Amino acid sequence: MSELQAQYTTKPGWSLDKRDRNSIKSLMPIWSLLYHYYFRVQTSGWHHIPDEKVLLVGTHNGGLAAPDMIMMMYDWFHRFGLERPVYGLMHPKVWQVSPELAELVVKVGAIAAHPKMASAALRSGASVLVYPGGAQDVFRPYSMRHQIHFAGRQGFIKLALREKVPIIPVISTGAHDTLFVLTDLYPLFKQLHQWGMPWLMGIDPELFPIYLGLPWGLSIGPLPNIPLPVTIHTRVCRAIAFPEYGEAAASDRAYVNTCYQMVVNQMQQELDALVKETQA
């Protein structure tokens, strides 16, 4: 066990050893049914993934259910088997909201969304999947469903530069039709909190969407949802490599921002093309 893992072995999400192949195997038949019959996934571009470790960077869609992410994981395990590990970065607040669910996801390969854990996973030889936009992305308004929205978060760029790994963009369309996000009331609720209203469970949700979807009909707040059965299109895009790598590059704010804009622009072009194809 590495010094990092020994130090944090008691903290949820701070171990690479919790990934359990038997748990993944047990979920594959359920995911297969969802993949082929519920979401009727159409996918392409998997030839862009090289044999070595990579940093997969994706767009989040469809509320807390995030069906495109789950279908992407199914595709990875189906194509590469369980011997080629991939870890997904998960927000630490998931452990606060639902420790039981978090521990289940950990068995599939989720780890804490922290630079140290992401680096540890890559240095172990595994690939890493990150959705930089997080909750702001997964609950972005329906009018923004065809926009790359990372909320300005550039940590994944610094990670790729420090660890000298290529970025493989993964995009999708359709999953944002599994619910309909109308708007985000977080600024209002943040003001109410500053006036004395406590957060539910003492946790700042970072957003407060209003959305139409199952099972609530009209939902106020980041509640779990049951995704509607719509066709999801996913695509693995060509690798993005940067001119310079290393600690100095990762510490250069202007260079990091340039790399970030390069990734966002290329992913937006790829998403625009995928949307055009699916609507033709």
Coordinates of all heavy atoms in Angstrom, one line a residue, residues 3 8-9 29 53 56 60 65 78 82 90 102 114 123 128 135 144 155 160 173 176 181 207 223 228 236 252 258 267:
E3 N 2.2 5.2 0.5 CA 2.1 6.1 1.7 C 0.8 6.9 1.7 O 0.2 7.1 2.7 CB 3.3 7.0 1.7 CG 3.4 8.0 2.8 CD 4.6 8.9 2.8 OE1 5.5 8.6 2.0 OE2 4.6 9.9 3.6
Y8 N -4.6 7.8 4.2 CA -6.0 8.1 4.1 C -6.9 6.8 4.1 O -8.1 6.9 3.7 CB -6.3 8.9 2.8 CG -5.7 10.3 2.9 CD1 -4.5 10.6 2.3 CD2 -6.4 11.3 3.6 CE1 -4.0 11.9 2.4 CE2 -5.9 12.6 3.6 CZ -4.7 12.9 3.0 OH -4.2 14.2 3.1
T9 N -6.4 5.7 4.6 CA -7.1 4.5 4.4 C -8.5 4.5 5.1 O -9.3 3.7 4.7 CB -6.3 3.3 4.9 OG1 -6.9 2.1 4.6 CG2 -6.0 3.4 6.4
P29 N -25.1 -7.3 -16.2 CA -26.3 -7.7 -16.8 C -27.4 -6.6 -16.7 O -28.2 -6.4 -17.7 CB -26.8 -9.0 -16.0 CG -25.5 -9.5 -15.5 CD -24.7 -8.3 -15.1
K53 N -2.5 4.3 -20.4 CA -3.4 5.0 -19.5 C -3.8 6.4 -20.1 O -3.0 7.0 -20.8 CB -2.8 5.2 -18.1 CG -1.6 6.0 -18.1 CD -0.9 6.1 -16.8 CE 0.4 6.9 -16.8 NZ 1.1 6.8 -15.5
L56 N -9.8 10.4 -19.3 CA -11.1 10.6 -20.0 C -11.8 11.8 -19.4 O -12.0 11.9 -18.2 CB -11.9 9.4 -19.8 CG -11.3 8.1 -20.4 CD1 -11.9 6.9 -19.7 CD2 -11.5 8.0 -21.9
H60 N -21.4 15.9 -18.4 CA -22.4 15.3 -17.5 C -23.8 15.6 -17.9 O -24.0 16.8 -18.2 CB -22.2 15.8 -16.1 CG -21.8 14.8 -15.1 ND1 -22.0 13.4 -15.3 CD2 -21.3 14.9 -13.8 CE1 -21.6 12.8 -14.2 NE2 -21.1 13.6 -13.3
A65 N -28.9 10.9 -11.8 CA -28.9 9.5 -12.4 C -27.7 9.5 -13.4 O -27.1 8.4 -13.6 CB -30.2 9.2 -13.1
H78 N -17.2 -3.5 -21.0 CA -17.6 -4.5 -22.1 C -16.5 -4.6 -23.1 O -16.3 -5.7 -23.6 CB -18.9 -4.0 -22.7 CG -19.4 -4.9 -23.9 ND1 -19.9 -6.2 -23.7 CD2 -19.5 -4.6 -25.2 CE1 -20.2 -6.7 -24.9 NE2 -20.0 -5.8 -25.8
L82 N -12.4 -6.4 -17.3 CA -12.2 -5.9 -15.9 C -10.7 -5.8 -15.6 O -10.4 -5.3 -14.5 CB -12.9 -6.8 -14.9 CG -14.4 -6.9 -15.2 CD1 -15.0 -7.8 -14.1 CD2 -15.1 -5.6 -15.3
M90 N -15.3 11.2 -7.9 CA -16.6 11.5 -7.4 C -16.5 12.5 -6.3 O -15.6 12.5 -5.4 CB -17.2 10.2 -6.8 CG -18.7 10.3 -6.4 SD -19.5 8.7 -6.1 CE -18.7 8.3 -4.5
A102 N -22.6 5.7 -1.9 CA -21.2 6.0 -2.2 C -20.3 4.7 -2.1 O -19.5 4.5 -3.0 CB -20.7 7.1 -1.3
H114 N -10.1 14.3 -5.8 CA -9.0 15.1 -5.2 C -7.7 14.9 -6.1 O -7.5 13.8 -6.5 CB -8.7 14.7 -3.8 CG -7.8 15.6 -3.1 ND1 -6.4 15.5 -3.2 CD2 -8.0 16.5 -2.1 CE1 -5.8 16.4 -2.4 NE2 -6.8 17.0 -1.8
R123 N -0.8 7.0 -11.6 CA 0.5 6.4 -11.4 C 0.5 4.9 -11.2 O 1.5 4.2 -11.3 CB 1.2 7.1 -10.2 CG 1.6 8.6 -10.6 CD 2.1 9.4 -9.4 NE 2.2 10.8 -9.7 CZ 2.7 11.7 -8.9 NH1 2.9 11.4 -7.6 NH2 2.8 13.0 -9.3
V128 N -8.3 7.3 -15.8 CA -9.2 8.1 -14.9 C -10.2 8.8 -15.7 O -10.0 9.3 -16.8 CB -8.4 9.1 -14.0 CG1 -9.3 10.1 -13.3 CG2 -7.5 8.4 -13.0
A135 N -21.9 19.0 -10.6 CA -23.4 19.2 -10.4 C -23.8 20.3 -11.3 O -25.0 20.3 -11.8 CB -23.7 19.5 -8.9
M144 N -29.3 24.7 -22.2 CA -27.9 24.5 -22.4 C -27.5 23.1 -22.7 O -26.3 22.8 -22.6 CB -27.2 25.0 -21.2 CG -27.3 26.5 -20.9 SD -26.6 27.0 -19.3 CE -24.8 26.5 -19.6
G155 N -8.9 22.0 -13.0 CA -8.0 21.0 -12.3 C -7.6 19.9 -13.1 O -6.5 19.3 -13.0
A160 N -3.6 16.5 -16.1 CA -3.0 15.9 -17.3 C -1.6 16.4 -17.6 O -0.7 15.7 -18.0 CB -3.9 16.3 -18.5
T173 N -25.1 13.0 -26.3 CA -26.3 13.8 -26.5 C -27.5 12.8 -26.3 O -27.4 11.7 -26.6 CB -26.4 14.4 -27.9 OG1 -27.6 15.2 -28.0 CG2 -26.4 13.4 -29.0
H176 N -29.6 14.4 -21.6 CA -30.3 15.6 -21.0 C -31.8 15.7 -21.3 O -32.5 16.6 -20.7 CB -29.6 16.9 -21.4 CG -29.3 17.8 -20.3 ND1 -28.4 17.5 -19.3 CD2 -29.7 19.1 -20.0 CE1 -28.3 18.5 -18.4 NE2 -29.1 19.5 -18.8
V181 N -34.5 20.4 -16.9 CA -34.1 21.4 -16.0 C -34.5 22.8 -16.4 O -34.1 23.2 -17.5 CB -32.5 21.4 -15.7 CG1 -32.1 22.4 -14.6 CG2 -32.1 20.0 -15.3
L207 N -26.0 24.1 -5.8 CA -27.0 24.5 -6.8 C -28.4 24.1 -6.3 O -28.5 23.3 -5.4 CB -26.7 23.9 -8.2 CG -27.1 22.4 -8.4 CD1 -27.0 22.1 -9.9 CD2 -26.2 21.5 -7.6
L223 N -32.6 16.6 -6.2 CA -33.1 15.3 -5.8 C -32.8 14.2 -6.8 O -32.7 14.5 -8.0 CB -34.7 15.4 -5.6 CG -35.1 16.3 -4.5 CD1 -36.7 16.3 -4.5 CD2 -34.7 15.8 -3.1
L228 N -36.0 9.3 -18.0 CA -36.9 8.9 -19.0 C -36.2 8.0 -20.0 O -35.0 8.2 -20.3 CB -37.5 10.1 -19.7 CG -38.4 11.0 -18.8 CD1 -38.7 12.3 -19.5 CD2 -39.7 10.3 -18.4
V236 N -16.5 8.7 -28.2 CA -15.2 8.9 -27.7 C -14.4 9.7 -28.8 O -14.3 9.2 -30.0 CB -14.5 7.6 -27.4 CG1 -13.1 7.8 -27.0 CG2 -15.3 6.8 -26.4
D252 N 1.7 27.3 -14.7 CA 1.6 28.5 -15.5 C 0.1 28.7 -15.8 O -0.5 28.1 -16.6 CB 2.4 28.3 -16.8 CG 2.4 29.5 -17.7 OD1 1.5 30.4 -17.6 OD2 3.4 29.7 -18.5
T258 N -5.0 28.4 -21.6 CA -5.0 28.2 -23.0 C -5.4 26.7 -23.3 O -6.1 26.4 -24.2 CB -3.6 28.5 -23.6 OG1 -3.3 29.9 -23.4 CG2 -3.5 28.2 -25.0
M267 N -14.1 20.0 -27.7 CA -15.3 19.2 -27.3 C -16.6 19.8 -27.8 O -17.5 19.1 -28.2 CB -15.3 19.1 -25.8 CG -14.2 18.2 -25.3 SD -14.2 17.9 -23.5 CE -15.7 16.8 -23.4

